[in-house]
Amino acid sequence: MKTKLIWLLNFLRIAIFALPLLAFPSDQPGLTITQFEVNELPQFSLYISVTDQTGKPIRLAESTLSPDKGIVKVFEDGQPVVVNEITPVLDLTDSEISRFYIILVLDNSDSMQKFLKKVKFAADQFIDQVRKQDKISIVVFDPRKKSYHAKLLQSFTNIKHVLKTKTLLMNLTRKTYLYDAIYLAFLKLREERTIGRKVIVVLSDGNDIGSKYCLKDMIQIAKYSDIPIYAIDFSPKKNRNLKKLANETNGRYFRATKADELVKLYEAILEQLQGQYRVTYTTANEDWTTPSRALRVEIQEDNQLLSAERVYQPDVARLQYLALRYKEAVSKTDSKDYLQYLDLYPNSEWLSLIHI
């Protein structure tokens, strides 16, 4: 088990490192940098969420979305950079960039038995509202698994009637193996080598009991990943650990006290995901051997200055591959100059892209 955890952490250390930001309702509008993206150098992209006092996404004015207006500002390592484009997620045209890969972690413990039909109805409603280009996978608890007590109930697909055959949970467990299920969700998302957005949506009615992994393990993994967890807490008492996980991953925590509330909360999660904006900017730092970026976004909205900060370190092999292609195109630089330290990162999922 520890070997697998070390392997995953080694991979995630060279994935995107994100400092935690609070993502809960407050008495002020909020700005959150949810994810980071590097696809075509020298441009990087950020995904941002702008919410009102209740946590609902704010639709930015057309004037705000114009880079020429300078209402949205991006700073990289303290220096202002050129903002090229600000696009609502729903308006993205590239099929892969705009696609969501969502894992539903569903609580199939005994305590959920009397709510199973309503859980299925809420999950099915969520599946029906997801766009056709998005893909969903389903993970549940399974005490028979030795390395971690969780299993993949449905692999990624966008065929909705197939997904809905798996949302009526049949094999219930005596314990709530929450952290093991989230760990498996991270593993399965890691296997999807894609530039699409990756998200975990968790529904649970209690604290973790019996997992091989613990909250500390999940926080370690969350600290080195760029995969937000959107959590619905359906427990009799507030699950502070589930709230902490959502916080650590820049996702969002929701509280349900009645089964009838689940549909609206799933709708709120979908609204959060689809209500974000992609901000593309030109980097001022072309030293690809030190890829870490300290970023700040500022938006002047309704006479208020909203700001958010994050630190990111893109997957080094992925960045080097793109840097290699970019440098070859603009300066015919010898590719070996940009590959000398890749042996330090043998677990990167992008390493196989590089051919010299």
Side-chain angles (χ1 to χ4, degrees):
M1 179 188 74
K2 291 299 181 184
T3 301
K4 287 187 176 181
L5 178 60
I6 292 170
W7 169 82
L8 180 61
L9 288 175
N10 283 338
F11 166 76
L12 291 173
R13 271 190 191 95
I14 61 170
I16 302 171
F17 173 75
L19 291 178
L21 288 171
L22 291 177
F24 307 111
S26 67
D27 58 354
Q28 298 292 331
L31 173 63
T32 303
I33 305 172
T34 61
Q35 288 174 299
F36 180 78
E37 180 181 274
V38 49
N39 293 317
E40 185 176 351
L41 299 181
Q43 292 189 149
F44 288 160
S45 294
L46 304 173
Y47 288 88
I48 62 171
S49 175
V50 187
T51 56
D52 63 17
Q53 292 89 336
T54 67
K56 290 182 67 65
I58 294 174
R59 182 73 178 180
L60 298 178
E62 288 297 325
S63 58
T64 303
L65 300 182
S66 173
D68 297 336
K69 300 290 185 180
I71 299 175
V72 177
K73 298 179 180 179
V74 176
F75 300 84
E76 185 184 63
D77 299 325
Q79 302 298 316
V81 294
V82 176
V83 175
N84 302 308
E85 189 175 33
I86 307 162
T87 309
V89 165
L90 291 180
D91 292 349
L92 293 175
T93 56
D94 187 293
S95 60
E96 190 61 25
I97 290 175
S98 65
R99 179 176 292 164
F100 281 101
Y101 288 80
I102 303 170
I103 290 190
L104 294 180
V105 175
L106 298 178
D107 188 329
N108 59 317
S109 60
D110 284 338
S111 55
M112 293 291 288
Q113 186 166 16
K114 62 182 179 180
F115 305 112
L116 292 181
K117 289 185 178 179
K118 290 188 176 182
V119 168
K120 174 178 173 53
F121 179 76
D124 288 351
Q125 291 288 103
F126 178 84
I127 291 167
D128 280 336
Q129 293 179 60
V130 167
R131 302 166 305 168
K132 63 181 180 179
Q133 68 262 43
D134 299 329
K135 293 188 175 183
I136 296 177
S137 177
I138 300 173
V139 167
V140 296
F141 311 150
D142 188 347
R144 297 170 297 178
K145 302 293 183 179
K146 294 182 179 180
S147 298
Y148 40 81
H149 298 320
K151 69 177 179 181
L152 183 69
L153 196 62
Q154 173 59 54
S155 58
F156 279 107
T157 182
N158 58 358
I159 304 175
K160 296 185 178 184
H161 72 85
V162 171
L163 287 163
K164 289 191 285 187
T165 63
K166 303 297 178 62
T167 53
L168 182 59
L169 306 175
M170 305 299 292
N171 298 317
L172 302 185
T173 63
R174 292 170 54 195
K175 297 180 180 179
T176 304
Y177 304 105
L178 180 60
Y179 301 143
D180 283 2
I182 294 174
Y183 173 77
L184 178 58
F186 274 113
L187 285 181
K188 292 304 176 182
L189 285 170
R190 177 252 181 255
E191 292 173 2
E192 293 295 321
R193 195 176 74 179
T194 174
I195 58 176
R197 313 277 301 288
K198 300 177 180 181
V199 179
I200 298 173
V201 177
V202 178
L203 169 66
S204 181
D205 76 337
N207 289 307
D208 182 276
I209 300 174
S211 282
K212 297 284 188 179
Y213 294 95
C214 64
L215 177 63
K216 184 179 179 181
D217 295 331
M218 293 303 97
I219 291 175
Q220 276 188 292
I221 293 170
K223 189 177 291 186
Y224 296 106
S225 73
D226 197 32
I227 300 172
I229 294 175
Y230 289 78
I232 298 177
D233 179 4
F234 190 41
S235 55
K237 295 182 179 180
K238 184 180 292 186
N239 188 334
R240 297 184 183 278
N241 291 339
L242 195 56
K243 183 174 183 179
K244 187 176 181 67
L245 277 173
N247 178 22
E248 291 287 341
T249 61
N250 285 283
R252 193 169 181 83
Y253 170 87
F254 297 88
R255 181 96 169 93
T257 58
K258 300 177 182 178
D260 292 337
E261 297 172 346
L262 296 179
V263 171
K264 288 186 178 180
L265 294 184
Y266 273 120
E267 289 176 352
I269 290 173
L270 200 57
E271 186 179 31
Q272 288 281 325
L273 295 176
Q274 296 180 354
Q276 296 176 10
Y277 295 85
R278 182 175 185 244
V279 180
T280 301
Y281 74 91
T282 300
T283 181
N285 175 12
E286 293 194 13
D287 180 3
W288 313 120
T289 62
T290 55
S292 180
R293 301 291 195 274
L295 300 164
R296 185 170 85 253
V297 176
E298 295 181 355
I299 299 179
Q300 191 74 38
E301 182 73 10
D302 293 334
N303 298 320
Q304 286 187 300
L305 180 63
L306 306 179
S307 65
E309 297 183 359
R310 294 286 298 273
V311 173
Y312 289 99
Q313 182 170 319
D315 179 294
V316 175
R318 165 78 169 153
L319 183 60
Q320 283 291 295
Y321 168 73
L322 294 169
L324 171 61
R325 301 283 83 84
Y326 172 60
K327 288 296 184 181
E328 284 180 337
V330 299
S331 62
K332 307 298 182 184
T333 304
D334 186 351
S335 62
K336 293 182 180 180
D337 293 343
Y338 294 91
L339 301 173
Q340 56 186 329
Y341 66 93
L342 285 181
D343 289 341
L344 297 175
Y345 306 96
N347 292 325
S348 171
E349 61 177 324
W350 298 101
L351 198 59
S352 61
L353 288 172
I354 300 174
H355 303 285
I356 58 172

